[in-house]
Amino acid sequence: MDTVIVQLPCPRPETASGGRSVRSCAGPAHPAAVGRRPAPPKPALLHLGPGESAEFGRGEPGRPAAIPLADQGISRRAGEVTAAEDYWRLSNFSPSATYVVENLEGAGEHVKVAPGRIGAPVPFEFSRVLLPTLGGPLDFKVFAPQHAYLVGEPVAGSGELTVSPFALDPTSKYFLVLLALCEPRLRSPSAAVVPGATEVVERLRALPSCRGLARSAVNYHIDYLVATKLRLREAPGEAAAPGPRSGGKREELVALALKFDLVREEHLALLPPRDGR
């Protein structure tokens, strides 16, 4: 049973070394399709079972890489992907380049694999491996099996009840404010600017519950989230100051909410459509 699937970048060889199965991007042309504009080829897939490995890089004479990456800035033997049950490991054979593995389902989550690191575990189900090259980053995708999760509630034990550290109500107005603050980075992890109070008012105004929302109310909800719901702590030396800047509060709120998945992509459905859509 396959546990890890690597989507090979194009161009790539029709077969991979080591006897592993690779599906070609393009098959023979159908007679009815002759003369028509060819459809984009499907990416080739490399299937790895538990314990199997595949090297990536430019390859060596007589020894092509299972995951070929044709760029002079990438080593001939740049690294290795190893399947391990329901996750995979990445080895970095480069003496100087750091590789980045992005979570394709997350809001900017990524792990860095330092030069010379062997067998770094990757916890993401859908990943993109980025390597620095002369012409900009080159990447390939890795898909791990669906992770297993606990079914049902755990058996309650004796003693005091566990209290949730982040008890947020998605139907509340403060949650909508938090969602509007997080929206740019949920849609694009590279977004750097967190919306201000005025932008939040404009974003939420189309909702019936927020038609009377004012800038002062948005700042109140931000303070409530900071002090009560998420309990952000002041950095050392800030206690004597008048208080963290509003921009600093918003940045901290967004960082914490996205780090612990308190606001997720499915919550975006609570916001009004953008640009009338």
Side-chain angles (χ1 to χ4, degrees):
M1 178 180 178
D2 294 325
T3 64
V4 170
I5 299 175
V6 181
Q7 180 177 311
L8 304 184
C10 292
R12 74 283 171 196
E14 293 297 321
T15 58
S17 59
R20 302 181 187 89
S21 170
V22 180
R23 297 178 185 174
S24 173
C25 283
H30 190 278
V34 175
R36 296 180 184 175
R37 184 176 181 180
K42 295 181 180 179
L45 303 178
L46 173 63
H47 295 250
L48 299 175
E52 289 188 317
S53 298
E55 288 190 358
F56 57 88
R58 286 163 42 222
E60 299 173 332
R63 186 184 177 185
I67 306 172
L69 303 173
D71 187 279
Q72 287 295 116
I74 295 178
S75 303
R76 294 188 180 278
R77 297 181 64 241
E80 185 177 67
V81 171
T82 301
E85 300 302 333
D86 63 348
Y87 70 100
W88 57 283
R89 300 194 300 266
L90 180 69
S91 296
N92 182 350
F93 298 159
S94 171
S96 58
T98 295
Y99 302 156
V100 177
V101 184
E102 296 179 334
N103 181 7
L104 293 176
E105 292 186 306
E109 294 98 338
H110 67 274
V111 294
K112 295 180 181 180
V113 182
R117 177 73 161 91
I118 301 298
V122 179
F124 311 138
E125 291 185 47
F126 302 97
S127 308
R128 177 189 291 116
V129 181
L130 293 169
L131 290 79
T133 69
L134 299 179
L138 187 62
D139 67 86
F140 61 91
K141 297 180 178 66
V142 181
F143 306 99
Q146 186 175 6
H147 294 170
Y149 293 92
L150 179 68
V151 177
E153 295 291 334
V155 178
S158 59
E160 296 182 358
L161 295 176
T162 302
V163 180
S164 173
F166 303 125
L168 300 181
D169 179 6
T171 66
S172 65
K173 196 168 293 186
Y174 69 75
F175 188 85
L176 290 174
V177 169
L178 179 61
L179 180 56
L181 291 173
C182 295
E183 182 185 19
R185 291 185 185 175
L186 277 173
R187 296 189 184 277
S188 175
S190 61
V193 179
V194 174
T198 301
E199 294 171 292
V200 171
V201 170
E202 293 296 326
R203 184 70 183 96
L204 299 178
R205 183 166 292 168
L207 295 174
S209 62
C210 297
R211 286 173 183 166
L213 189 67
R215 191 173 183 275
S216 58
V218 169
N219 286 325
Y220 169 82
H221 288 303
I222 291 174
D223 288 337
Y224 177 65
L225 286 162
V226 168
T228 304
K229 302 304 292 185
L230 303 185
R231 299 180 300 281
L232 292 178
R233 297 180 180 179
E234 291 178 323
E238 284 187 352
R245 295 179 296 106
S246 177
K249 291 180 185 179
R250 290 184 280 108
E251 287 280 353
E252 291 181 63
L253 280 175
V254 169
L256 182 67
L258 296 180
K259 180 184 296 183
F260 289 101
D261 283 340
L262 306 181
V263 175
R264 301 180 296 277
E265 287 188 35
E266 58 261 34
H267 290 132
L268 293 175
L270 299 173
L271 296 175
R274 297 192 301 175
D275 301 326
R277 292 174 290 178

PDB file of all heavy atoms in Angstrom, residues 213-244:
ATOM      1  N   LEU A 213     -21.809  48.942  13.666  1.00  0.00           N
ATOM      2  CA  LEU A 213     -20.475  48.798  14.248  1.00  0.00           C
ATOM      3  C   LEU A 213     -19.642  50.044  13.992  1.00  0.00           C
ATOM      4  O   LEU A 213     -19.543  50.521  12.866  1.00  0.00           O
ATOM      5  CB  LEU A 213     -19.786  47.567  13.657  1.00  0.00           C
ATOM      6  CG  LEU A 213     -18.463  47.138  14.296  1.00  0.00           C
ATOM      7  CD1 LEU A 213     -18.683  46.649  15.721  1.00  0.00           C
ATOM      8  CD2 LEU A 213     -17.810  46.039  13.466  1.00  0.00           C
ATOM      9  N   ALA A 214     -19.025  50.557  15.052  1.00  0.00           N
ATOM     10  CA  ALA A 214     -18.180  51.743  14.946  1.00  0.00           C
ATOM     11  C   ALA A 214     -16.729  51.372  15.236  1.00  0.00           C
ATOM     12  O   ALA A 214     -16.426  50.297  15.767  1.00  0.00           O
ATOM     13  CB  ALA A 214     -18.649  52.815  15.926  1.00  0.00           C
ATOM     14  N   ARG A 215     -15.843  52.280  14.866  1.00  0.00           N
ATOM     15  CA  ARG A 215     -14.419  52.041  15.077  1.00  0.00           C
ATOM     16  C   ARG A 215     -14.100  51.833  16.554  1.00  0.00           C
ATOM     17  O   ARG A 215     -13.295  50.967  16.910  1.00  0.00           O
ATOM     18  CB  ARG A 215     -13.637  53.234  14.523  1.00  0.00           C
ATOM     19  CG  ARG A 215     -12.139  53.028  14.427  1.00  0.00           C
ATOM     20  CD  ARG A 215     -11.491  54.202  13.714  1.00  0.00           C
ATOM     21  NE  ARG A 215     -10.067  53.992  13.559  1.00  0.00           N
ATOM     22  CZ  ARG A 215      -9.161  54.278  14.483  1.00  0.00           C
ATOM     23  NH1 ARG A 215      -9.552  54.795  15.641  1.00  0.00           N
ATOM     24  NH2 ARG A 215      -7.873  54.053  14.262  1.00  0.00           N
ATOM     25  N   SER A 216     -14.749  52.594  17.427  1.00  0.00           N
ATOM     26  CA  SER A 216     -14.514  52.448  18.863  1.00  0.00           C
ATOM     27  C   SER A 216     -14.962  51.075  19.361  1.00  0.00           C
ATOM     28  O   SER A 216     -14.325  50.484  20.244  1.00  0.00           O
ATOM     29  CB  SER A 216     -15.258  53.550  19.637  1.00  0.00           C
ATOM     30  OG  SER A 216     -16.652  53.498  19.360  1.00  0.00           O
ATOM     31  N   ALA A 217     -16.054  50.547  18.777  1.00  0.00           N
ATOM     32  CA  ALA A 217     -16.521  49.218  19.169  1.00  0.00           C
ATOM     33  C   ALA A 217     -15.523  48.144  18.738  1.00  0.00           C
ATOM     34  O   ALA A 217     -15.295  47.165  19.465  1.00  0.00           O
ATOM     35  CB  ALA A 217     -17.891  48.947  18.565  1.00  0.00           C
ATOM     36  N   VAL A 218     -14.932  48.299  17.543  1.00  0.00           N
ATOM     37  CA  VAL A 218     -13.923  47.342  17.086  1.00  0.00           C
ATOM     38  C   VAL A 218     -12.737  47.331  18.050  1.00  0.00           C
ATOM     39  O   VAL A 218     -12.241  46.271  18.442  1.00  0.00           O
ATOM     40  CB  VAL A 218     -13.463  47.687  15.660  1.00  0.00           C
ATOM     41  CG1 VAL A 218     -12.228  46.877  15.282  1.00  0.00           C
ATOM     42  CG2 VAL A 218     -14.579  47.429  14.666  1.00  0.00           C
ATOM     43  N   ASN A 219     -12.285  48.519  18.462  1.00  0.00           N
ATOM     44  CA  ASN A 219     -11.174  48.586  19.411  1.00  0.00           C
ATOM     45  C   ASN A 219     -11.551  47.966  20.758  1.00  0.00           C
ATOM     46  O   ASN A 219     -10.704  47.343  21.422  1.00  0.00           O
ATOM     47  CB  ASN A 219     -10.745  50.038  19.610  1.00  0.00           C
ATOM     48  CG  ASN A 219      -9.984  50.575  18.411  1.00  0.00           C
ATOM     49  OD1 ASN A 219      -9.236  49.851  17.755  1.00  0.00           O
ATOM     50  ND2 ASN A 219     -10.176  51.846  18.103  1.00  0.00           N
ATOM     51  N   TYR A 220     -12.824  48.107  21.145  1.00  0.00           N
ATOM     52  CA  TYR A 220     -13.277  47.477  22.389  1.00  0.00           C
ATOM     53  C   TYR A 220     -13.190  45.955  22.267  1.00  0.00           C
ATOM     54  O   TYR A 220     -12.720  45.275  23.184  1.00  0.00           O
ATOM     55  CB  TYR A 220     -14.716  47.899  22.700  1.00  0.00           C
ATOM     56  CG  TYR A 220     -15.342  47.100  23.813  1.00  0.00           C
ATOM     57  CD1 TYR A 220     -15.094  47.410  25.154  1.00  0.00           C
ATOM     58  CD2 TYR A 220     -16.166  46.005  23.524  1.00  0.00           C
ATOM     59  CE1 TYR A 220     -15.655  46.662  26.178  1.00  0.00           C
ATOM     60  CE2 TYR A 220     -16.725  45.246  24.548  1.00  0.00           C
ATOM     61  CZ  TYR A 220     -16.470  45.578  25.863  1.00  0.00           C
ATOM     62  OH  TYR A 220     -17.016  44.828  26.873  1.00  0.00           O
ATOM     63  N   HIS A 221     -13.648  45.413  21.149  1.00  0.00           N
ATOM     64  CA  HIS A 221     -13.603  43.958  20.958  1.00  0.00           C
ATOM     65  C   HIS A 221     -12.152  43.460  20.917  1.00  0.00           C
ATOM     66  O   HIS A 221     -11.847  42.372  21.422  1.00  0.00           O
ATOM     67  CB  HIS A 221     -14.320  43.577  19.667  1.00  0.00           C
ATOM     68  CG  HIS A 221     -15.814  43.711  19.751  1.00  0.00           C
ATOM     69  ND1 HIS A 221     -16.571  43.057  20.689  1.00  0.00           N
ATOM     70  CD2 HIS A 221     -16.683  44.441  19.002  1.00  0.00           C
ATOM     71  CE1 HIS A 221     -17.850  43.362  20.514  1.00  0.00           C
ATOM     72  NE2 HIS A 221     -17.944  44.201  19.502  1.00  0.00           N
ATOM     73  N   ILE A 222     -11.262  44.247  20.323  1.00  0.00           N
ATOM     74  CA  ILE A 222      -9.849  43.869  20.297  1.00  0.00           C
ATOM     75  C   ILE A 222      -9.289  43.830  21.715  1.00  0.00           C
ATOM     76  O   ILE A 222      -8.590  42.877  22.102  1.00  0.00           O
ATOM     77  CB  ILE A 222      -9.047  44.849  19.413  1.00  0.00           C
ATOM     78  CG1 ILE A 222      -9.425  44.665  17.940  1.00  0.00           C
ATOM     79  CG2 ILE A 222      -7.552  44.655  19.612  1.00  0.00           C
ATOM     80  CD1 ILE A 222      -8.791  45.673  17.012  1.00  0.00           C
ATOM     81  N   ASP A 223      -9.600  44.839  22.525  1.00  0.00           N
ATOM     82  CA  ASP A 223      -9.138  44.854  23.914  1.00  0.00           C
ATOM     83  C   ASP A 223      -9.725  43.678  24.696  1.00  0.00           C
ATOM     84  O   ASP A 223      -9.037  43.081  25.542  1.00  0.00           O
ATOM     85  CB  ASP A 223      -9.534  46.172  24.587  1.00  0.00           C
ATOM     86  CG  ASP A 223      -8.716  47.354  24.085  1.00  0.00           C
ATOM     87  OD1 ASP A 223      -7.600  47.117  23.570  1.00  0.00           O
ATOM     88  OD2 ASP A 223      -9.191  48.498  24.188  1.00  0.00           O
ATOM     89  N   TYR A 224     -10.994  43.350  24.410  1.00  0.00           N
ATOM     90  CA  TYR A 224     -11.640  42.222  25.093  1.00  0.00           C
ATOM     91  C   TYR A 224     -10.953  40.909  24.737  1.00  0.00           C
ATOM     92  O   TYR A 224     -10.702  40.060  25.600  1.00  0.00           O
ATOM     93  CB  TYR A 224     -13.116  42.185  24.703  1.00  0.00           C
ATOM     94  CG  TYR A 224     -13.887  41.023  25.279  1.00  0.00           C
ATOM     95  CD1 TYR A 224     -14.070  40.908  26.661  1.00  0.00           C
ATOM     96  CD2 TYR A 224     -14.430  40.046  24.453  1.00  0.00           C
ATOM     97  CE1 TYR A 224     -14.784  39.839  27.195  1.00  0.00           C
ATOM     98  CE2 TYR A 224     -15.136  38.973  24.978  1.00  0.00           C
ATOM     99  CZ  TYR A 224     -15.312  38.872  26.346  1.00  0.00           C
ATOM    100  OH  TYR A 224     -16.013  37.814  26.869  1.00  0.00           O
ATOM    101  N   LEU A 225     -10.616  40.734  23.468  1.00  0.00           N
ATOM    102  CA  LEU A 225      -9.909  39.531  23.039  1.00  0.00           C
ATOM    103  C   LEU A 225      -8.527  39.455  23.697  1.00  0.00           C
ATOM    104  O   LEU A 225      -8.098  38.386  24.152  1.00  0.00           O
ATOM    105  CB  LEU A 225      -9.764  39.516  21.516  1.00  0.00           C
ATOM    106  CG  LEU A 225     -11.024  39.201  20.720  1.00  0.00           C
ATOM    107  CD1 LEU A 225     -10.864  39.652  19.265  1.00  0.00           C
ATOM    108  CD2 LEU A 225     -11.315  37.702  20.773  1.00  0.00           C
ATOM    109  N   VAL A 226      -7.826  40.584  23.730  1.00  0.00           N
ATOM    110  CA  VAL A 226      -6.475  40.621  24.294  1.00  0.00           C
ATOM    111  C   VAL A 226      -6.484  40.310  25.792  1.00  0.00           C
ATOM    112  O   VAL A 226      -5.704  39.486  26.278  1.00  0.00           O
ATOM    113  CB  VAL A 226      -5.832  42.002  24.036  1.00  0.00           C
ATOM    114  CG1 VAL A 226      -4.566  42.167  24.871  1.00  0.00           C
ATOM    115  CG2 VAL A 226      -5.513  42.171  22.565  1.00  0.00           C
ATOM    116  N   ALA A 227      -7.397  40.950  26.538  1.00  0.00           N
ATOM    117  CA  ALA A 227      -7.361  40.862  27.994  1.00  0.00           C
ATOM    118  C   ALA A 227      -8.117  39.667  28.560  1.00  0.00           C
ATOM    119  O   ALA A 227      -7.703  39.090  29.569  1.00  0.00           O
ATOM    120  CB  ALA A 227      -7.933  42.151  28.599  1.00  0.00           C
ATOM    121  N   THR A 228      -9.216  39.253  27.882  1.00  0.00           N
ATOM    122  CA  THR A 228     -10.106  38.263  28.488  1.00  0.00           C
ATOM    123  C   THR A 228     -10.117  36.920  27.760  1.00  0.00           C
ATOM    124  O   THR A 228      -9.937  35.867  28.370  1.00  0.00           O
ATOM    125  CB  THR A 228     -11.547  38.811  28.559  1.00  0.00           C
ATOM    126  OG1 THR A 228     -11.535  40.055  29.277  1.00  0.00           O
ATOM    127  CG2 THR A 228     -12.465  37.830  29.258  1.00  0.00           C
ATOM    128  N   LYS A 229     -10.334  36.944  26.452  1.00  0.00           N
ATOM    129  CA  LYS A 229     -10.537  35.689  25.729  1.00  0.00           C
ATOM    130  C   LYS A 229      -9.222  34.969  25.423  1.00  0.00           C
ATOM    131  O   LYS A 229      -9.116  33.761  25.609  1.00  0.00           O
ATOM    132  CB  LYS A 229     -11.307  35.938  24.428  1.00  0.00           C
ATOM    133  CG  LYS A 229     -12.664  36.600  24.630  1.00  0.00           C
ATOM    134  CD  LYS A 229     -13.554  35.805  25.595  1.00  0.00           C
ATOM    135  CE  LYS A 229     -14.004  34.468  25.018  1.00  0.00           C
ATOM    136  NZ  LYS A 229     -14.959  33.773  25.921  1.00  0.00           N
ATOM    137  N   LEU A 230      -8.229  35.694  24.936  1.00  0.00           N
ATOM    138  CA  LEU A 230      -6.959  35.062  24.577  1.00  0.00           C
ATOM    139  C   LEU A 230      -5.847  35.363  25.568  1.00  0.00           C
ATOM    140  O   LEU A 230      -4.772  34.769  25.501  1.00  0.00           O
ATOM    141  CB  LEU A 230      -6.533  35.486  23.163  1.00  0.00           C
ATOM    142  CG  LEU A 230      -7.550  35.182  22.060  1.00  0.00           C
ATOM    143  CD1 LEU A 230      -6.981  35.514  20.701  1.00  0.00           C
ATOM    144  CD2 LEU A 230      -7.970  33.718  22.103  1.00  0.00           C
ATOM    145  N   ARG A 231      -6.073  36.346  26.439  1.00  0.00           N
ATOM    146  CA  ARG A 231      -5.162  36.659  27.540  1.00  0.00           C
ATOM    147  C   ARG A 231      -3.711  36.810  27.083  1.00  0.00           C
ATOM    148  O   ARG A 231      -2.815  36.090  27.537  1.00  0.00           O
ATOM    149  CB  ARG A 231      -5.269  35.584  28.638  1.00  0.00           C
ATOM    150  CG  ARG A 231      -6.651  35.479  29.253  1.00  0.00           C
ATOM    151  CD  ARG A 231      -6.723  34.411  30.320  1.00  0.00           C
ATOM    152  NE  ARG A 231      -6.401  33.094  29.786  1.00  0.00           N
ATOM    153  CZ  ARG A 231      -7.256  32.353  29.085  1.00  0.00           C
ATOM    154  NH1 ARG A 231      -8.469  32.806  28.830  1.00  0.00           N
ATOM    155  NH2 ARG A 231      -6.907  31.167  28.637  1.00  0.00           N
ATOM    156  N   LEU A 232      -3.508  37.724  26.168  1.00  0.00           N
ATOM    157  CA  LEU A 232      -2.147  37.982  25.702  1.00  0.00           C
ATOM    158  C   LEU A 232      -1.348  38.645  26.814  1.00  0.00           C
ATOM    159  O   LEU A 232      -1.817  39.560  27.486  1.00  0.00           O
ATOM    160  CB  LEU A 232      -2.180  38.895  24.473  1.00  0.00           C
ATOM    161  CG  LEU A 232      -2.778  38.286  23.205  1.00  0.00           C
ATOM    162  CD1 LEU A 232      -2.791  39.313  22.095  1.00  0.00           C
ATOM    163  CD2 LEU A 232      -1.981  37.073  22.771  1.00  0.00           C
ATOM    164  N   ARG A 233      -0.137  38.179  26.984  1.00  0.00           N
ATOM    165  CA  ARG A 233       0.706  38.713  28.046  1.00  0.00           C
ATOM    166  C   ARG A 233       1.558  39.846  27.527  1.00  0.00           C
ATOM    167  O   ARG A 233       2.019  39.819  26.395  1.00  0.00           O
ATOM    168  CB  ARG A 233       1.620  37.618  28.612  1.00  0.00           C
ATOM    169  CG  ARG A 233       0.849  36.486  29.261  1.00  0.00           C
ATOM    170  CD  ARG A 233       1.801  35.444  29.801  1.00  0.00           C
ATOM    171  NE  ARG A 233       1.083  34.342  30.426  1.00  0.00           N
ATOM    172  CZ  ARG A 233       1.676  33.285  30.971  1.00  0.00           C
ATOM    173  NH1 ARG A 233       2.997  33.190  30.945  1.00  0.00           N
ATOM    174  NH2 ARG A 233       0.965  32.325  31.522  1.00  0.00           N
ATOM    175  N   GLU A 234       1.796  40.810  28.410  1.00  0.00           N
ATOM    176  CA  GLU A 234       2.670  41.914  28.042  1.00  0.00           C
ATOM    177  C   GLU A 234       4.121  41.449  28.060  1.00  0.00           C
ATOM    178  O   GLU A 234       4.521  40.641  28.897  1.00  0.00           O
ATOM    179  CB  GLU A 234       2.510  43.077  29.011  1.00  0.00           C
ATOM    180  CG  GLU A 234       1.149  43.781  28.916  1.00  0.00           C
ATOM    181  CD  GLU A 234       1.045  44.894  29.934  1.00  0.00           C
ATOM    182  OE1 GLU A 234       1.561  44.725  31.052  1.00  0.00           O
ATOM    183  OE2 GLU A 234       0.449  45.916  29.603  1.00  0.00           O
ATOM    184  N   ALA A 235       4.878  41.970  27.117  1.00  0.00           N
ATOM    185  CA  ALA A 235       6.300  41.652  27.090  1.00  0.00           C
ATOM    186  C   ALA A 235       6.996  42.337  28.254  1.00  0.00           C
ATOM    187  O   ALA A 235       6.531  43.353  28.766  1.00  0.00           O
ATOM    188  CB  ALA A 235       6.915  42.094  25.759  1.00  0.00           C
ATOM    189  N   PRO A 236       8.135  41.815  28.723  1.00  0.00           N
ATOM    190  CA  PRO A 236       8.867  42.449  29.819  1.00  0.00           C
ATOM    191  C   PRO A 236       9.193  43.898  29.492  1.00  0.00           C
ATOM    192  O   PRO A 236       9.636  44.221  28.404  1.00  0.00           O
ATOM    193  CB  PRO A 236      10.144  41.606  29.933  1.00  0.00           C
ATOM    194  CG  PRO A 236       9.770  40.280  29.355  1.00  0.00           C
ATOM    195  CD  PRO A 236       8.781  40.572  28.273  1.00  0.00           C
ATOM    196  N   GLY A 237       8.953  44.782  30.469  1.00  0.00           N
ATOM    197  CA  GLY A 237       9.252  46.195  30.271  1.00  0.00           C
ATOM    198  C   GLY A 237       8.078  46.990  29.733  1.00  0.00           C
ATOM    199  O   GLY A 237       8.136  48.205  29.697  1.00  0.00           O
ATOM    200  N   GLU A 238       6.987  46.305  29.324  1.00  0.00           N
ATOM    201  CA  GLU A 238       5.841  47.023  28.787  1.00  0.00           C
ATOM    202  C   GLU A 238       4.838  47.401  29.856  1.00  0.00           C
ATOM    203  O   GLU A 238       3.924  48.177  29.608  1.00  0.00           O
ATOM    204  CB  GLU A 238       5.139  46.171  27.719  1.00  0.00           C
ATOM    205  CG  GLU A 238       5.869  46.120  26.403  1.00  0.00           C
ATOM    206  CD  GLU A 238       5.041  45.420  25.348  1.00  0.00           C
ATOM    207  OE1 GLU A 238       3.990  44.852  25.703  1.00  0.00           O
ATOM    208  OE2 GLU A 238       5.436  45.440  24.171  1.00  0.00           O
ATOM    209  N   ALA A 239       4.970  46.817  31.051  1.00  0.00           N
ATOM    210  CA  ALA A 239       3.967  47.053  32.081  1.00  0.00           C
ATOM    211  C   ALA A 239       3.892  48.520  32.463  1.00  0.00           C
ATOM    212  O   ALA A 239       2.826  49.051  32.752  1.00  0.00           O
ATOM    213  CB  ALA A 239       4.287  46.201  33.318  1.00  0.00           C
ATOM    214  N   ALA A 240       5.041  49.209  32.458  1.00  0.00           N
ATOM    215  CA  ALA A 240       5.048  50.610  32.860  1.00  0.00           C
ATOM    216  C   ALA A 240       4.620  51.527  31.734  1.00  0.00           C
ATOM    217  O   ALA A 240       4.328  52.684  31.947  1.00  0.00           O
ATOM    218  CB  ALA A 240       6.446  51.010  33.343  1.00  0.00           C
ATOM    219  N   ALA A 241       4.587  51.018  30.544  1.00  0.00           N
ATOM    220  CA  ALA A 241       4.188  51.841  29.398  1.00  0.00           C
ATOM    221  C   ALA A 241       2.683  52.012  29.372  1.00  0.00           C
ATOM    222  O   ALA A 241       1.945  51.272  30.028  1.00  0.00           O
ATOM    223  CB  ALA A 241       4.678  51.182  28.113  1.00  0.00           C
ATOM    224  N   PRO A 242       2.190  53.018  28.645  1.00  0.00           N
ATOM    225  CA  PRO A 242       0.745  53.225  28.569  1.00  0.00           C
ATOM    226  C   PRO A 242       0.004  52.008  28.055  1.00  0.00           C
ATOM    227  O   PRO A 242      -1.194  51.894  28.221  1.00  0.00           O
ATOM    228  CB  PRO A 242       0.620  54.407  27.586  1.00  0.00           C
ATOM    229  CG  PRO A 242       1.947  55.093  27.629  1.00  0.00           C
ATOM    230  CD  PRO A 242       2.941  54.018  27.889  1.00  0.00           C
ATOM    231  N   GLY A 243       0.679  51.069  27.409  1.00  0.00           N
ATOM    232  CA  GLY A 243       0.032  49.883  26.839  1.00  0.00           C
ATOM    233  C   GLY A 243       0.543  49.664  25.447  1.00  0.00           C
ATOM    234  O   GLY A 243       1.017  50.597  24.794  1.00  0.00           O
ATOM    235  N   PRO A 244       0.459  48.430  24.942  1.00  0.00           N
ATOM    236  CA  PRO A 244       0.948  48.167  23.591  1.00  0.00           C
ATOM    237  C   PRO A 244       0.139  48.917  22.560  1.00  0.00           C
ATOM    238  O   PRO A 244      -1.046  49.177  22.732  1.00  0.00           O
ATOM    239  CB  PRO A 244       0.765  46.649  23.440  1.00  0.00           C
ATOM    240  CG  PRO A 244      -0.256  46.285  24.461  1.00  0.00           C
ATOM    241  CD  PRO A 244      -0.096  47.240  25.573  1.00  0.00           C
TER     242      PRO A 244
END
